[in-house]
Structures are given as C-alpha cells and as structure tokens.
Amino acid sequence: MMACLELKNIRFSYGGAQSVKDFSLSAGKGGLTGLIGPNGAGKSTVLKLACGILKPAGGEIKLFGKDLKDYPPKERAKLVSYLPQLIDVNIPFTVRELIGIGLYPRDAKASPHETDEAMEAVGLRGKRDSPVMELSAGERRRAFIAMSLVQGSSLLLLDEPLANLDLKYQIGLVRLLRKIIEERGISVVMALHDINTAFSLHSVCVIKDGCMYAHGAPRQTITKDVLKEVFEVDWENFPTPAAP
Amino acid sequence: MKKNIVLMIIAVSAATLFSLFAGRNFINPFSLDDISGKILFSVRLPRVLTSLLVGSALGTSGAVLQGVLRNPLADPYILGISSGAALFAGAGLIIGSAFLGPLTVPLLAFAGACLTCAIVGVLGYRRGILLPERLLLAGLGLGFLFTAILMLIMSLSSAYGTRRALLWIFGDLSMSDWSLIPYGFLLAGSGLTLAIARRKGLNALILGDEVAFSLGFSPSRERLLLFASVSLMTATAISLGGVVGFVGLLIPHIVRFLAGSDAKVLLPLSAISGAGILVIADTVGRTVVFPSELPAGVITSIVGAPYFLYLLRKKSMLGMR
C-alpha cells in the first residue's frame, strides 16, 4: 500500500541547534497516527514540515508518492491540511462561513451540500449560524476539522487537537476522528500529550529531541521503559490500558 | 440576510437622491430652471459623488485592514496614513501656499498618505514577510510623530490657517469639485477592485498564516496586495475628504452584524453602507446649522457612534458575548 505521507531523514533547525534530526516517518492511508513526546521534542515542527509551512534543511517529504515541493499550492491544499493548536479568530465568522472557507482550494463548482455534510459529520449542524468565537473549545476544534474536511484533504495534520478539552470532549473528538477516517478513508496524524488516548490510536510515534524514538502499534510502542527514557517518568505500577 | 442587503442598497440610493436635492434651497427635480440646474450639476453632484467615493473607500479599507491585521479595532487611520496626509495638507493650508491652485491640498494629502504607506510598509517588512504586528506598531509610531509635527506647526501659525487645517482634519467635503473626481474614482476603484479580487485571501488571513498556507495561499503575498489596496483607497479618501472618522472603524462591524463576516459580502456592503452614511452625514452637515456648515466627519461620529453602541447592546459584536 502506498503511504500517504513519507518523511525520510528530515533535518530542520529554527536557526540554532537542530530541532529535527534525521527524522523518518511513514503514515499509511486510513490510519490515526499519534505523535507523542515531551514539550519541545519537535512534534509541531514535524507536522509543519509535513504540510510545507516549514522547509526542511535536508531529507525528503513525499505526499501520496510525489515530492511535496512539486505540488502547486492549490493541489497540495486538496491533499493535506494542517490545523495549529490554537486558532484565534477575532472576526465573528459563523460556523457555515468558516467551513465555506475550506472550499477555496477546490474547483469553483464545489457543492454547498458538502458544507452541510461536513457540519453534520462533526455534529455542528445546529450551530451553523453561531459565531465560531462563541463556541466551546471542543466545538471550535470540530468546526475547524469540518473546514479541513471540505478542503478535500485526504491527510489531516492536527497539532494537539485534544489540548484544553475535558475528558468527554477528548473521547468525543477521538471517536469523531475514527468515524471520519472509516467513512471517508482519510488519514490523520496528530500530536498529543495524553498517553491514555494514545493507546486508542492505530499507531504512535514517540519523538525525543527531534529524533524518532519508537514507532508502531501503541501497545508495543508505549512501554514502561519508553516512558522512563523519553518522559523521565518512573511508573511503579504502569496501568494496563483498557480497550477503548 | 438577503432582505438586509436589498434594504441597505435601497436606503443608500434614496439617501443619495435626497442629498442631491436637499440643501440651502430644496431643488425640485421636476421643475429645474437654469440656476438650480447649475447648482445641482456643479455644486451638489460633485459633492455627493465625493461623499460616496470617500465613504465607500473608508468602509472597505476598514473591513480589509481589520482582517489583515487580525484586529477588530483597526481602522484605515491606524497605520498612520491619516497623520501623514494631515501633516502635508495641514502644512500646505497653514503656510498658505497654493502652487497648484485648488488641487494643492488634495495632492499634498495624497503625497503624505503615500509616503506614510511606503515608510510603514518598509518598516513592517522583515525577512521577506510583511508582519501584521510590525505594520501596526510602525504605523502607530509614525502616526504619533506626524501628528506631533503638525501640532507644532499649528501652534506656531495664524488663527485662520489653523482653522482651515482643523476643518480639513475633521473631514470636510465642502472643497469638492469635478476636477479630482475622475482620478478619485480611478484610484479608489482600483483599490476596491483589488480588495474584492483578493477576498478569499482576506478570509484566509483572518484564520492566521499557517491556516492560510494550508488552504493554498501565500500569506505574505496576500497581505502585500491587500495592504496596497488599503493604501490606495485610504490615500484617495483622505485627499478628497479629509480625515472622516467612524466610517472605517465601525461600518465593517455594523455590516458584519447585519449581513455576515464573509469578505464576499462584507467588502461590497461596507463600500455601499460607508458611502450611504457619509452622504447622509454630509447632507445633515450642510443643512442643519445653515448658513454655516458642520464637517461630515463630526456628524458621522455623532450619529453613528450611538447607533453602534445600540447594536453592541443588542447583540454580540466584536466577539464579545
């Protein structure tokens, strides 16, 4: 199966020390991949590199088998979208207006029904005319995810979409992502901090100091030793996670 | 939504017609004689056209700038453009030089506005990117400097020149004549067309550079084009009508409240309602305290600000709950 995203030996620095070193990752189609690692490990940098916001100093980034650099911006936008952790919107766009912005990279005749479908998919149909800035943190994340969905993105890169959400919204959002992945065959790569949630993903990638530390199915990858090495946390009784 | 838009257009057209015929003497459009025809064509019409032009340029500039700077409190003057224009025009009025006849003040104002835009643009540039925060701070700093120099000149000058300069700064349309209107329409029209052409980029920039990039836009390119369009519109508006307050800051908020925030709707409607409010304000300004005149800029704020406060009280605006 062709990987939708492939990073090979990526190097990047913000000007000082290298923040991503020789990093490789491959994400398959239809998967929910988590990037975990301590603060400053390079999770956000990897996501920004993967969608082209940052340009790598070396290495190769392939999107659906083709070099990321070779995509015209509009074509790229139809395949991959990136959502930062915090999006300040201080102009009162309504949910419908916001999701409509997602149609821009698409050809002129993208159907307005898609906006409705996307709102339905994230459960915001009842809020279509509410200003985005008046939504709760969880609803706001969902509105932006709907915007990425109408963009046509087959690959969603989400930077800590679960941050600031309470338990109910966290679980709700992960379920929503799984549902969308199943229905639409898209792939999601997201940075996250919650180890328990990481167990419910298809695969995880552990980053430490800009390097890939471990990669694979959550149960095999997130072990007591990895947590100790990467997060410097000693768990005497590391909980066996329940199946999600 | 649609109903609001249609109502807005009808209201502005009605105001424009009324403004043409109302004034020192009410002109009956159905029984025009030579004199009233002349007044209508050479006094009222250029003045009404200037109001429409200035109002629409300011309304649109405000809507664009609030998005580009991602700041709902931005107005066309926040980048110091008005201070630069006021300094040049004010200095011209006070020193009393009229080397270009009636075109002196508008041309000086235009030169001042363009110079300010250029300086702010250069200061706002860093590593090949026009940064909103830098633009804002550069504009504020430059604005203070220019205002201070103008005040210095004013405090050292004669009473007559100062009063003329003050009137101009408050937004004065009484100097409108035909000679500048074609250029005004050309310049402000280009700015408006450019802004409307980049409406999608404007919406995307509001969501931040990273999201705009992810949507397939080049954030710095979009920002540069929109900045150019605002500069064109604001410089034109100031040179034709002086520093008219309120329109650029509050019209976009009123439009968002009535018709939505999508730039596709916001930009044309800000132009239409900005034009409308200024025509009304100018009509009031030249009729209520006859034979004297009130500057339109004063009326827009006196009438507009309470309406804005009423809307604010009625429903959430500016993102406040």
Side-chain angles (χ1 to χ4, degrees):
Chain A
M1 189 182 73
M2 183 178 64
C4 61
L5 175 69
E6 243 181 311
L7 307 181
K8 263 187 214 158
N9 310 105
I10 295 297
R11 282 179 292 115
F12 179 81
S13 88
Y14 283 105
Q18 282 206 344
S19 37
V20 172
K21 305 161 203 160
D22 213 21
F23 185 90
S24 300
L25 169 74
S26 147
K29 271 186 190 163
L32 180 50
T33 307
L35 296 179
I36 59 173
N39 289 330
K43 302 184 294 293
S44 301
T45 310
V46 165
L47 292 176
K48 287 181 195 174
L49 284 162
C51 83
I53 291 176
L54 299 175
K55 312 272 178 271
E60 215 180 18
I61 302 175
K62 283 196 164 163
L63 196 60
F64 295 93
K66 193 171 144 186
D67 208 308
L68 180 67
K69 293 192 297 283
D70 296 340
Y71 284 100
K74 261 192 157 180
E75 292 308 308
R76 184 205 65 222
K78 281 187 223 168
L79 293 174
V80 56
S81 74
Y82 164 82
L83 290 180
Q85 189 187 142
L86 277 178
I87 305 177
D88 262 335
V89 191
N90 38 28
I91 297 293
F93 281 128
T94 62
V95 172
R96 195 167 43 90
E97 285 170 338
L98 178 80
I99 298 176
I101 295 175
L103 291 171
Y104 288 170
R106 306 274 301 279
D107 301 322
K109 293 286 172 243
S111 132
H113 290 301
E114 289 183 48
T115 325
D116 288 339
E117 275 170 28
M119 265 186 272
E120 189 77 60
V122 299
L124 283 178
R125 196 144 196 181
K127 300 263 181 182
R128 52 183 296 147
D129 291 318
S130 307
V132 175
M133 62 223 296
E134 290 179 10
L135 299 179
S136 71
E139 289 169 336
R140 204 182 292 199
R141 292 264 154 77
R142 273 148 52 197
F144 278 103
I145 288 172
M147 183 182 89
S148 300
L149 288 180
V150 297
Q151 197 176 324
S153 310
S154 327
L155 173 62
L156 286 185
L157 305 171
L158 309 176
D159 198 353
E160 296 197 33
L162 306 177
N164 306 323
L165 299 190
D166 66 23
L167 201 57
K168 181 182 142 203
Y169 277 126
Q170 284 196 18
I171 294 172
L173 192 67
V174 173
R175 282 203 184 129
L176 170 70
L177 290 173
R178 295 184 78 114
K179 188 184 104 190
I180 296 171
I181 287 170
E182 216 166 275
E183 286 173 6
R184 304 190 173 215
I186 64 166
S187 322
V188 175
V189 178
M190 66 177 189
L192 75 166
H193 274 299
D194 188 81
I195 302 294
N196 284 317
T197 311
F199 276 106
S200 67
L201 310 182
H202 297 132
S203 69
V204 291
C205 162
V206 185
I207 306 182
K208 189 193 180 194
D209 299 327
C211 298
M212 160 83 79
Y213 189 85
H215 182 210
R219 269 156 216 279
Q220 280 82 57
T221 314
I222 310 171
T223 60
K224 208 167 159 180
D225 294 337
V226 166
L227 291 178
K228 187 169 168 150
E229 280 297 315
V230 175
F231 291 93
E232 292 160 25
V233 186
D234 227 338
W235 254 307
E236 272 310 309
N237 298 308
F238 183 59
T240 316
Chain B
M1 286 304 172
K2 285 232 171 67
K3 203 182 77 189
N4 282 332
I5 296 172
V6 174
L7 278 179
M8 230 181 238
I9 294 174
I10 294 175
V12 172
S13 317
T16 306
L17 280 178
F18 177 74
S19 174
L20 268 179
F21 301 116
R24 180 181 300 205
N25 302 303
F26 185 83
I27 296 177
N28 184 347
F30 302 106
S31 62
L32 280 181
D33 54 36
D34 264 6
I35 297 175
S36 52
K38 209 163 182 186
I39 292 177
L40 194 65
F41 185 76
S42 57
V43 180
R44 299 247 174 105
L45 190 58
R47 187 159 179 166
V48 167
L49 286 177
T50 307
S51 315
L52 290 171
L53 186 65
V54 170
S56 59
L58 290 177
T60 319
S61 297
V64 173
L65 217 45
Q66 287 170 3
V68 170
L69 300 175
R70 306 183 69 201
N71 186 340
L73 295 177
D75 80 351
Y77 306 141
I78 206 165
L79 295 181
I81 305 176
S82 56
S83 311
L87 174 60
F88 275 54
L93 284 166
I94 288 166
I95 295 163
S97 83
F99 57 97
L100 289 165
L103 299 186
T104 312
V105 169
L107 286 181
L108 280 174
F110 193 73
C114 291
L115 181 74
T116 314
C117 291
I119 299 176
V120 169
V122 169
L123 291 174
Y125 232 74
R126 185 136 203 211
R127 287 193 218 111
I129 299 173
L130 209 52
L131 298 168
E133 298 80 11
R134 283 185 72 91
L135 273 181
L136 195 64
L137 291 174
L140 281 174
L142 209 58
F144 274 114
L145 177 66
F146 285 165
T147 307
I149 298 176
L150 178 62
M151 286 179 175
L152 183 69
I153 299 176
M154 279 174 142
S155 49
L156 296 173
S157 79
S158 74
Y160 174 74
T162 306
R163 187 179 142 75
R164 287 286 311 276
L166 268 180
L167 264 182
W168 186 86
I169 290 168
F170 290 154
D172 180 18
L173 295 159
S174 62
M175 289 189 281
S176 338
D177 72 88
W178 277 110
S179 56
L180 286 167
I181 287 176
Y183 302 106
F185 270 97
L186 185 71
L187 291 170
S190 322
L192 181 64
T193 313
L194 181 58
I196 290 180
R198 306 318 300 173
R199 61 188 183 276
K200 292 183 174 178
L202 178 60
N203 277 341
L205 281 181
I206 292 171
L207 305 178
D209 284 14
E210 289 170 349
V211 176
F213 179 91
S214 156
L215 285 161
F217 292 93
S218 155
S220 55
R221 180 163 165 267
E222 295 299 321
R223 196 152 38 230
L224 190 64
L225 289 171
L226 289 163
F227 176 65
S229 101
V230 167
S231 306
L232 264 177
M233 288 188 285
T234 309
T236 312
I238 293 180
S239 46
L240 292 181
V243 186
V244 176
F246 178 83
V247 178
L249 175 60
L250 295 182
I251 283 293
H253 287 291
I254 293 175
V255 172
R256 284 193 198 98
F257 172 72
L258 295 174
S261 305
D262 185 352
K264 189 172 140 195
V265 184
L266 174 70
L267 297 181
L269 282 187
S270 295
I272 293 170
S273 33
I277 199 116
L278 198 56
V279 164
I280 296 171
D282 185 50
T283 316
V284 173
R286 64 190 159 82
T287 46
V288 287
V289 290
F290 179 80
S292 179
E293 260 194 30
L294 295 172
V298 174
I299 313 280
T300 47
S301 305
I302 288 180
V303 179
Y307 176 61
F308 172 72
L309 293 173
Y310 157 76
L311 282 182
L312 187 65
R313 179 120 186 92
K314 208 173 131 202
K315 212 178 158 184
S316 65
M317 284 196 1
L318 294 164
M320 287 180 252
R321 287 181 194 214

